[in-house]
Amino acid sequence: MTENEQIFWNRVLELAQDHLTQATFEFFVLDAQLIKVENNIAFIYIDRMKELFWEKNLQQVIITAGFEIFNSQINAQYVFESAEINNVTANNSTQQINSFAQQNPTSKEPLPTVQSNLNPKYQFDNFIQGDENKWAKAASIAVANSPGTTYNPLFIWGGPGLGKTHLLNAIGNTVLENNPNARVRYITTENFINEFVTHIRLESMEELKENFRNLDVLLIDDIQSLAKKTLEGTQEEFFNTFNALHANNKQIVLTSDRTPDHLNNLEERLVTRFKWGLTVDITPPDYETRIAILTNKILEQGYPYTFSQDTIEYLAGQFDSNVRDLEGALKDINLVATFKQANVITVDLAAEAIRARKQDAPVINIISIEEIQTQVGKFYGVTTKEIKSTKRNQDIVLARQVAMYLAREMTDNSLPKIGKEFGGRDHSTVLHAYNKIKNIIAQDDSLRIEIETIKNKIK
Ligand code: ADP
Ligand code: MG
């Protein structure tokens, strides 16, 4: 790289950093490389999936830096394969035009307006960023700022209470802020199914199709609820909706409590489509993030009392797997503090207020093996009977082993007793299952999070 190229590139990075949030910058820009600038074209090596983001958001940055350093208009040419780096020349590459930005629905009649169902409370501004959610947030911001053109679909997955619904709503709110005419709709999968059933009953499927296929942005929450066994036709309808929207570059964002690959209840063709875009996860917040979330929520609520710093630290230490619990704790405290007319929330007061919530935590032995089998079965879409059977299908074996693992971990029952509850198996089978799952979750985050999710349901 020549000295001028280096100066140009540094300036691009600097301007991009000013222009983007830190997480977005890190995600989209940090690993890009300038190959060279030749005949007023900057050859930039990026990941293919980031191209549209660059075109949408960084073209101006490149032009600005170009005028500053080279005194002429520099346009970008993106290169995706490292093999191409050595043989790009200004001749064999033409400037790429962003076709999406120009694509304009200069359409016929105005479409009916849409009820977005968004919760205005959920914004990017009040979504606290930590290591565990920064990619999910960055990708959500990218999608919100250029729907249909960056990642489609965006698939966000993670355990309960970690902010999936919050992000989904923040995307919709931002899209509408940028373009109040955008046709945005948030819907839970459960409500999607309900609507489907209603329209079948009223024989008005055409209307349902119209409602969904005219959207610009479809935000669909908790897609794991779309199970094969509940209603066959819903998957078909969802599949068609998905295809219609995707084919027209309409944005789809999905959330789930597990990865697409673990959606055992969904047809393979749906799972395949979910992986067309970008999949990002959210894991439980670390201690620092929990402190930041609490501090922010307290500010947001504008309570008529203050929290001592050690109270905040205490609370952050009490709930470690779920942001919803942190919010619940603040509600508990508010009740007690209002009653006592407290001015300052001390650790003692907080401890008293959250006692009941802490007692909701698992009490060993109250949890039955049966309950574990039921919840694990529900999660994996298999019956308790199948768990206890000798069937060897992959889904059933996994459910069986996870249930055995949890039976050992969450109850006081002996190995032979557990074996007996699983269709009269030997204690060594239980031990084998326990060790196997334990080893897997030491390395595999997705199974670990699935098990956390199931545990939360059992508690
Ligand atoms: P999920 O859909 O993953 O179960 P939610 O989006 O409903 O979780 O989040 C639960 C609660 O926690 C919501 O009130 C949400 O605003 C809050 N929350 C979760 N993550 C964050 C975060 N990073 N910053 C601020 N609030 C958060
Ligand atoms: Mg949710």
Side-chain angles (χ1 to χ4, degrees):
M1 218 188 289
T2 66
E3 197 183 337
N4 270 352
E5 284 171 342
Q6 187 65 60
I7 296 171
F8 165 76
W9 189 238
N10 288 346
R11 186 65 183 140
V12 167
L13 297 181
E14 196 176 67
L15 289 169
Q17 196 156 19
D18 285 349
H19 183 67
L20 305 168
T21 65
Q22 187 60 24
T24 315
F25 175 78
E26 285 175 15
F27 186 55
F28 287 100
V29 183
L30 215 50
D31 59 358
Q33 291 168 34
L34 177 69
I35 303 162
K36 62 180 169 189
V37 180
E38 196 176 286
N39 296 345
N40 289 338
I41 295 178
F43 292 90
I44 298 171
Y45 174 57
I46 51 173
D47 195 5
R48 185 181 296 276
M49 70 171 191
K50 296 179 182 165
E51 179 191 12
L52 287 166
F53 179 87
W54 274 74
E55 287 189 348
K56 277 245 151 189
N57 299 285
L58 296 171
Q59 226 156 9
Q60 192 53 47
V61 160
I62 291 164
I63 289 172
T64 307
F67 276 112
E68 282 180 20
I69 316 301
F70 295 109
N71 232 335
S72 61
Q73 174 156 346
I74 303 292
N75 288 311
Q77 168 74 50
Y78 300 106
V79 179
F80 310 118
E81 310 293 331
S82 51
E84 286 177 37
I85 289 184
N86 296 327
N87 49 37
V88 282
T89 70
N91 311 328
N92 69 11
S93 44
T94 44
Q95 181 59 26
Q96 296 188 2
I97 309 291
N98 176 2
S99 59
F100 289 110
Q102 277 80 29
Q103 196 181 69
N104 199 6
T106 38
S107 59
K108 335 100 212 176
E109 298 134 47
L111 295 163
T113 52
V114 195
Q115 186 91 34
S116 72
N117 293 326
L118 291 166
N119 185 339
K121 207 174 74 179
Y122 294 144
Q123 303 283 349
F124 288 125
D125 283 352
N126 61 7
F127 188 83
I128 302 298
Q129 184 176 312
D131 274 346
E132 55 290 328
N133 63 28
K134 66 179 178 197
W135 301 131
K137 185 176 180 183
S140 298
I141 292 175
V143 160
N145 286 319
S146 32
T149 65
T150 35
Y151 307 122
N152 206 10
L154 174 63
F155 189 100
I156 304 171
W157 72 277
L162 298 182
K164 300 183 296 295
T165 299
H166 188 135
L167 281 178
L168 208 52
N169 279 274
I171 292 173
N173 287 322
T174 304
V175 169
L176 281 177
E177 213 170 284
N178 292 342
N179 173 10
N181 295 323
R183 303 170 55 80
V184 178
R185 178 138 184 223
Y186 166 88
I187 190 167
T188 60
T189 301
E190 208 169 306
N191 280 338
F192 179 84
I193 296 170
N194 290 342
E195 263 190 47
F196 176 79
V197 173
T198 308
H199 281 93
I200 288 193
R201 210 179 48 225
L202 300 176
E203 295 180 2
S204 54
M205 280 310 283
E206 280 313 308
E207 192 187 316
L208 179 87
K209 286 193 170 68
E210 203 140 291
N211 287 349
F212 282 97
R213 294 181 198 176
N214 284 331
L215 295 173
D216 297 316
V217 179
L218 173 60
L219 307 164
I220 184 144
D221 211 354
D222 291 319
I223 196 67
Q224 77 278 354
S225 315
L226 189 67
K228 217 185 276 175
K229 283 174 187 161
T230 35
L231 255 177
E232 206 63 56
T234 38
Q235 288 208 26
E236 178 75 26
E237 186 51 37
F238 185 74
F239 179 74
N240 293 332
T241 305
F242 185 101
N243 287 342
L245 291 172
H246 195 274
N248 287 310
N249 297 318
K250 304 302 189 184
Q251 181 68 47
I252 303 158
V253 187
L254 308 126
T255 73
S256 162
D257 66 0
R258 58 199 91 169
T259 67
D261 284 328
H262 286 83
L263 288 165
N264 299 334
N265 283 329
L266 288 193
E267 293 173 17
E268 193 50 41
R269 56 183 186 161
L270 266 177
V271 173
T272 308
R273 275 164 177 73
F274 293 168
K275 295 194 286 189
W276 275 351
L278 179 71
T279 299
V280 284
D281 69 344
I282 309 186
T283 52
D286 66 16
Y287 183 68
E288 300 305 323
T289 314
R290 297 202 297 277
I291 300 242
I293 289 175
L294 280 168
T295 308
N296 191 57
K297 297 267 175 217
I298 289 167
L299 269 175
E300 236 179 26
Q301 294 295 329
Y303 293 120
Y305 40 81
T306 56
F307 283 73
S308 68
Q309 188 57 28
D310 53 350
T311 306
I312 294 178
E313 285 164 13
Y314 164 76
L315 288 171
Q318 293 300 304
F319 302 99
D320 60 1
S321 62
N322 183 322
V323 180
R324 200 173 283 129
D325 283 346
L326 289 176
E327 289 185 342
L330 292 180
K331 286 190 187 134
D332 296 344
I333 290 171
N334 190 39
L335 211 69
V336 176
T338 308
F339 179 71
K340 294 197 166 181
Q341 300 188 320
N343 292 320
V344 179
I345 309 301
T346 58
V347 172
D348 283 349
L349 190 150
E352 181 191 338
I354 66 168
R355 189 174 305 137
R357 184 172 296 274
K358 291 299 287 179
Q359 276 168 4
D360 286 346
V363 181
I364 277 174
N365 251 351
I366 289 183
I367 295 167
S368 68
I369 295 178
E370 201 186 339
E371 169 69 1
I372 290 174
Q373 290 168 335
T374 307
Q375 292 299 341
V376 172
K378 257 196 197 161
F379 189 89
Y380 290 110
V382 307
T383 62
T384 306
K385 206 170 144 201
E386 285 170 326
I387 288 182
K388 293 184 182 181
S389 74
T390 51
K391 287 191 191 158
R392 305 282 316 157
N393 311 32
Q394 219 180 334
D395 292 2
I396 299 174
V397 171
L398 177 67
R400 186 180 297 136
Q401 292 186 331
V402 166
M404 286 180 173
Y405 169 83
L406 288 175
R408 170 106 205 261
E409 217 201 54
M410 298 181 83
T411 75
D412 263 354
N413 292 292
S414 64
L415 292 174
K417 173 80 183 0
I418 295 174
K420 210 167 145 227
E421 299 276 329
F422 281 81
R425 289 181 154 81
D426 194 69
H427 77 275
S428 62
T429 309
V430 181
L431 191 60
H432 170 75
Y434 177 81
N435 287 330
K436 184 167 166 206
I437 297 295
K438 201 171 155 198
N439 284 335
I440 297 177
I441 60 180
Q443 296 148 27
D444 175 1
D445 271 350
S446 58
L447 185 64
R448 183 176 55 72
I449 291 168
E450 280 178 25
I451 291 180
E452 281 305 317
T453 306
I454 299 169
K455 263 181 155 175
N456 267 318
K457 297 205 166 116
I458 296 169
K459 282 172 189 174

